[in-house]
Amino acid sequence: MSHPHWPATQDAVRADIARVGASLFQRGLAHSTAGNISVRLTAEQGGGFLITPTDACLGFLDPAQLAWVGEDGGALGGARASKTLTLHRRIYAATPDAHCVLHTHSTHLVALTLQGVWRSDDILPPLTPYQVMKVGHVPLVPYRVPGDAGVADEVAALIAQARRPLRAVMLERLGPTVWHDSPGSAMALLEELEETARLWLLTERRPDPLTDAQVDDLRSRFNAPW
């Protein structure tokens, strides 16, 4: 896949983004042209970010057409960057250990915002140990038109104000945005969050959350972010 306009060290990253996009699409976690994926590049990889193009289908990404942008957001190569680039860049600026940002319109999570979330600062109660260990708190970001730069300001403020490190936010009526140290880790976080929303919606009698003592135990044993 090596190309004269980017370092060969980008090849594996580009392939990984396409692999994750295809996996999400094939399993119904992404659909149509909704959703986007970005990766923060190291200096060896050319620096800046790779991000999926605007209106691209995650199931059929062309690694060579991924948008490559600099730290300032300026285009360095590839197709036109997703309109959510500003949000991705703000998340990276606020979260130094984040190396991948992933956004989808996952069905059960969007349905949760239509039905009504648990609380605005936590869209779901602590229901399962892996939700507590792998996901943590997920606040709701009130609806704005897709691509609205104001969302980036709100998410950056939520990250700064959080008592424990955030790994995800939920955009009302649009879907989750999650971040982690790699595309694979971000995908796993998204899967856990979507599955928890599905369990919550499928349970006619709302289950009791884990107790404070149970959550504290998960924190002490597994460094849970909740």
Side-chain angles (χ1 to χ4, degrees):
M1 192 200 304
S2 294
H3 192 278
H5 298 306
W6 69 68
T9 47
Q10 280 188 24
D11 290 355
V13 182
R14 290 171 176 269
D16 204 22
I17 292 172
R19 177 188 66 81
V20 166
S23 176
L24 291 168
F25 183 82
Q26 290 162 5
R27 292 179 293 136
L29 290 166
H31 63 276
S32 185
T33 58
N36 35 77
I37 306 170
S38 71
V39 167
R40 189 204 307 255
L41 297 170
T42 65
E44 182 186 14
Q45 294 164 340
F49 313 97
L50 288 174
I51 189 168
T52 49
T54 188
D55 293 328
C57 175
L58 295 189
F60 303 94
L61 293 172
D62 178 355
Q65 289 300 306
L66 295 176
W68 179 22
V69 300
E71 292 284 343
D72 61 356
L76 298 175
R80 182 182 176 189
S82 166
K83 57 182 171 290
T84 62
L85 174 61
T86 299
L87 172 59
H88 287 237
R89 289 177 59 227
R90 290 293 295 277
I91 291 170
Y92 288 124
T95 317
D97 60 350
H99 291 280
C100 177
V101 176
L102 172 58
H103 168 68
T104 69
H105 295 195
S106 304
T107 303
H108 294 92
L109 283 162
V110 175
L112 179 67
T113 72
L114 299 176
Q115 176 178 284
V117 299
W118 184 52
R119 296 188 326 214
S120 61
D121 59 342
D122 266 317
I123 62 168
L124 289 160
L127 296 175
T128 71
Y130 274 81
Q131 171 209 4
V132 171
M133 291 188 292
K134 303 296 186 181
V135 180
H137 300 281
V138 182
L140 180 70
V141 177
Y143 175 78
R144 287 178 182 256
V145 67
D148 188 319
V151 172
D153 294 333
E154 292 189 49
V155 173
L158 287 169
I159 293 171
Q161 296 163 6
R163 290 175 299 166
R164 293 180 177 272
L166 286 185
R167 295 177 180 173
V169 295
M170 181 66 199
L171 309 185
E172 184 179 6
R173 294 178 182 262
L174 289 173
T177 297
V178 308
W179 50 93
H180 217 301
D181 57 9
S182 70
S185 296
M187 179 168 62
L189 193 159
L190 176 81
E191 291 165 350
E192 195 66 46
L193 182 56
E194 168 70 0
E195 181 64 14
T196 307
R198 187 166 79 98
L199 291 169
W200 180 246
L201 293 170
L202 286 173
T203 309
E204 188 172 335
R205 187 188 69 79
R206 291 292 182 235
D208 292 331
L210 293 171
T211 66
D212 289 345
Q214 289 169 325
V215 172
D216 284 341
D217 187 37
L218 291 168
R219 287 195 192 112
S220 63
R221 290 174 183 262
F222 304 106
N223 194 30
W226 186 276

